Amino acid sequence: MRTLHYILFAAFIFIFLCAAQRHEPSFSKEEKMIIGTDKDSIMRVWLTTNYEDSLFLRRKAKLLSEKEIRSSCFETLKKRMLYTVNDTVQPGVGIAAPQVGISRCLVAVQRFDKPGEPFEFYINPRLVYMSEQKKAGKEGCLSIPDRMGMVARSTDVVVRYVDEYTLKEKQNTVSGFTAVIFQHEIDHLSGILYIDKLSD
């Protein structure tokens, strides 16, 4: 009798997990259209000079689900974000998914603190430590054309994020200009723009 209970319990857990996976958030049809299928092309950058875009950029982004991370749309989104931030017409040092119309917690940051200065993606990133010591520096933004301003940022941060392959949390300690980029891009995920933090 006890064996039968174990079997029924295991069957219940299996059905529950399958149902949960089926209802896990995924990219909407509209988002899939924005992401597209052409991995080797830039995306439209959403701008504060456009009223609808500016409202979207102020939204709080959603966490990426496992289903989304494992999807082909995610791979396409990453590649197209990389093409966009490397656009020779207006190159950047970082980009967040909301800047290309996808309200998800994903950023690409150029790691000036690593050999070759590569761009790296960070899933569901958050800052778990920001140093009290700050330094003012000039910032611009792909979503705010023809403008720059001075912003005081922490000189050292600790970034916690989800590893794309293991789906486990990792963290990095980052300093200097790369730390500034992390702060700028992660702000985008909360609908915060650098112009909200301009120094006097």
Side-chain angles (χ1 to χ4, degrees), residues 7 23 52 88 110 133 181:
I7 293 171
H23 294 295
E52 294 298 328
T88 54
Q110 188 165 9
Q133 181 179 356
I181 303 171

Side-chain angles (χ1 to χ4, degrees), residues 90 93 137-142 144-151 177 184 194-195 198-199:
Q90 192 174 13
V93 294
K138 188 174 286 188
E139 291 187 29
C141 181
L142 295 176
I144 307 175
D146 305 319
R147 184 174 179 181
M148 296 192 81
M150 297 296 289
V151 180
F177 183 50
H184 179 112
Y194 85 89
I195 53 175
L198 292 176
S199 302

Side-chain angles (χ1 to χ4, degrees), residues 14-75:
F14 177 76
I15 292 169
F16 175 78
L17 290 174
C18 287
Q21 188 173 21
R22 198 160 49 242
H23 294 295
E24 196 176 7
S26 60
F27 293 109
S28 67
K29 287 183 179 179
E30 182 181 8
E31 288 170 332
K32 288 177 181 177
M33 287 182 63
I34 293 172
I35 295 169
T37 56
D38 183 3
K39 297 179 180 180
D40 299 329
S41 62
I42 65 171
M43 302 179 77
R44 181 177 82 83
V45 175
W46 292 44
L47 305 173
T48 55
T49 50
N50 177 294
Y51 180 69
E52 294 298 328
D53 287 5
S54 67
L55 293 179
F56 183 86
L57 289 167
R58 290 300 188 172
R59 287 169 53 179
K60 185 175 176 62
K62 301 174 185 175
L63 294 174
L64 278 157
S65 68
E66 179 179 345
K67 186 175 181 180
E68 290 168 333
I69 295 168
R70 299 296 189 208
S71 70
S72 59
C73 278
F74 180 71
E75 285 303 313

